Short mmCIF file of all heavy atoms in Angstrom, two decimals:
data_model
loop_
_atom_site.label_atom_id
_atom_site.label_comp_id
_atom_site.label_asym_id
_atom_site.label_seq_id
_atom_site.Cartn_x
_atom_site.Cartn_y
_atom_site.Cartn_z
N TYR G 800 -57.55 -3.77 13.40
CA TYR G 800 -56.28 -3.05 13.45
C TYR G 800 -55.23 -3.85 14.23
O TYR G 800 -54.09 -3.97 13.80
CB TYR G 800 -56.45 -1.67 14.09
CG TYR G 800 -55.18 -0.86 14.10
CD1 TYR G 800 -54.80 -0.14 12.98
CD2 TYR G 800 -54.34 -0.85 15.20
CE1 TYR G 800 -53.62 0.58 12.97
CE2 TYR G 800 -53.17 -0.13 15.20
CZ TYR G 800 -52.81 0.59 14.08
OH TYR G 800 -51.62 1.28 14.07
N ALA G 803 -54.37 -6.90 11.89
CA ALA G 803 -53.67 -6.62 10.63
C ALA G 803 -52.48 -5.69 10.78
O ALA G 803 -51.57 -5.73 9.98
CB ALA G 803 -54.66 -6.02 9.62
N GLY G 804 -52.51 -4.81 11.77
CA GLY G 804 -51.38 -3.91 11.98
C GLY G 804 -51.47 -2.60 11.24
O GLY G 804 -50.57 -1.78 11.37
N ASN G 805 -52.51 -2.37 10.45
CA ASN G 805 -52.67 -1.07 9.80
C ASN G 805 -54.15 -0.82 9.55
O ASN G 805 -54.94 -1.75 9.42
CB ASN G 805 -51.82 -0.97 8.53
CG ASN G 805 -52.34 -1.81 7.40
OD1 ASN G 805 -53.40 -1.53 6.85
ND2 ASN G 805 -51.60 -2.84 7.05
N PRO G 806 -54.53 0.46 9.48
CA PRO G 806 -55.95 0.79 9.38
C PRO G 806 -56.60 0.37 8.05
O PRO G 806 -57.79 0.08 8.02
CB PRO G 806 -56.00 2.30 9.57
CG PRO G 806 -54.62 2.77 9.24
CD PRO G 806 -53.69 1.65 9.59
N HIS G 807 -55.83 0.33 6.98
CA HIS G 807 -56.40 0.00 5.68
C HIS G 807 -56.80 -1.47 5.61
O HIS G 807 -57.91 -1.81 5.20
CB HIS G 807 -55.43 0.35 4.56
CG HIS G 807 -54.93 1.76 4.66
ND1 HIS G 807 -55.75 2.86 4.47
CD2 HIS G 807 -53.71 2.24 4.98
CE1 HIS G 807 -55.05 3.96 4.64
NE2 HIS G 807 -53.81 3.63 4.96
N ASP G 808 -55.87 -2.36 6.03
CA ASP G 808 -56.19 -3.78 6.04
C ASP G 808 -57.27 -4.07 7.07
O ASP G 808 -58.11 -4.95 6.88
CB ASP G 808 -54.95 -4.63 6.32
CG ASP G 808 -53.97 -4.62 5.15
OD1 ASP G 808 -54.38 -4.28 4.02
OD2 ASP G 808 -52.78 -4.97 5.37
N GLU G 865 -40.76 6.18 1.40
CA GLU G 865 -41.25 5.38 2.51
C GLU G 865 -42.62 5.89 2.93
O GLU G 865 -42.95 7.05 2.72
CB GLU G 865 -40.32 5.53 3.71
CG GLU G 865 -38.98 4.86 3.54
CD GLU G 865 -38.16 4.92 4.81
OE1 GLU G 865 -38.73 4.82 5.89
OE2 GLU G 865 -36.96 5.09 4.69
N HIS G 866 -43.39 5.01 3.53
CA HIS G 866 -44.68 5.38 4.09
C HIS G 866 -44.79 4.73 5.46
O HIS G 866 -44.54 3.53 5.60
CB HIS G 866 -45.82 4.92 3.22
CG HIS G 866 -47.15 5.12 3.85
ND1 HIS G 866 -47.74 6.34 3.95
CD2 HIS G 866 -47.98 4.26 4.49
CE1 HIS G 866 -48.89 6.24 4.59
NE2 HIS G 866 -49.05 4.96 4.94
N HIS G 867 -45.15 5.52 6.46
CA HIS G 867 -45.34 5.00 7.81
C HIS G 867 -46.70 5.41 8.31
O HIS G 867 -47.07 6.59 8.26
CB HIS G 867 -44.26 5.53 8.77
CG HIS G 867 -42.89 5.12 8.38
ND1 HIS G 867 -42.41 3.85 8.59
CD2 HIS G 867 -41.87 5.78 7.78
CE1 HIS G 867 -41.17 3.76 8.16
NE2 HIS G 867 -40.83 4.92 7.65
N ASP G 868 -47.48 4.43 8.78
CA ASP G 868 -48.78 4.74 9.38
C ASP G 868 -48.55 5.40 10.73
O ASP G 868 -47.58 5.11 11.42
CB ASP G 868 -49.61 3.48 9.57
CG ASP G 868 -50.08 2.91 8.25
OD1 ASP G 868 -50.36 3.71 7.34
OD2 ASP G 868 -50.14 1.67 8.14
N ALA G 869 -49.48 6.24 11.13
CA ALA G 869 -49.39 6.89 12.43
C ALA G 869 -49.57 5.83 13.53
O ALA G 869 -50.43 4.97 13.44
CB ALA G 869 -50.47 7.95 12.56
N LEU G 870 -48.74 5.91 14.54
CA LEU G 870 -48.78 4.98 15.65
C LEU G 870 -48.98 5.73 16.97
O LEU G 870 -48.67 6.91 17.05
CB LEU G 870 -47.47 4.17 15.73
CG LEU G 870 -47.18 3.26 14.54
CD1 LEU G 870 -45.76 2.75 14.62
CD2 LEU G 870 -48.15 2.10 14.53
N PRO G 871 -49.44 5.05 17.99
CA PRO G 871 -49.54 5.70 19.30
C PRO G 871 -48.17 6.15 19.79
O PRO G 871 -47.15 5.69 19.31
CB PRO G 871 -50.10 4.59 20.21
CG PRO G 871 -50.67 3.57 19.29
CD PRO G 871 -49.92 3.68 17.99
N ARG G 876 -46.13 2.70 21.27
CA ARG G 876 -45.76 2.74 19.85
C ARG G 876 -44.72 1.68 19.55
O ARG G 876 -44.79 0.99 18.53
CB ARG G 876 -45.23 4.12 19.48
CG ARG G 876 -44.89 4.21 17.99
CD ARG G 876 -44.23 5.51 17.63
NE ARG G 876 -42.95 5.58 18.30
CZ ARG G 876 -42.44 6.69 18.82
NH1 ARG G 876 -43.07 7.81 18.75
NH2 ARG G 876 -41.26 6.66 19.42
N GLN G 880 -45.06 -1.36 16.87
CA GLN G 880 -44.10 -1.60 15.80
C GLN G 880 -43.57 -3.02 15.87
O GLN G 880 -43.43 -3.68 14.84
CB GLN G 880 -42.94 -0.60 15.90
CG GLN G 880 -43.29 0.77 15.41
CD GLN G 880 -42.10 1.71 15.50
OE1 GLN G 880 -41.43 1.77 16.53
NE2 GLN G 880 -41.85 2.41 14.43
N ALA G 883 -46.27 -5.36 14.70
CA ALA G 883 -46.43 -5.27 13.24
C ALA G 883 -45.29 -5.96 12.51
O ALA G 883 -45.47 -6.41 11.38
CB ALA G 883 -46.51 -3.80 12.81
#
Side-chain angles (χ1 to χ4, degrees):
Y800 183 83
N805 71 68
H807 309 293
D808 289 341
E865 290 186 36
H866 172 76
H867 297 284
D868 290 324
L870 296 169
R876 182 186 65 217
Q880 283 182 312

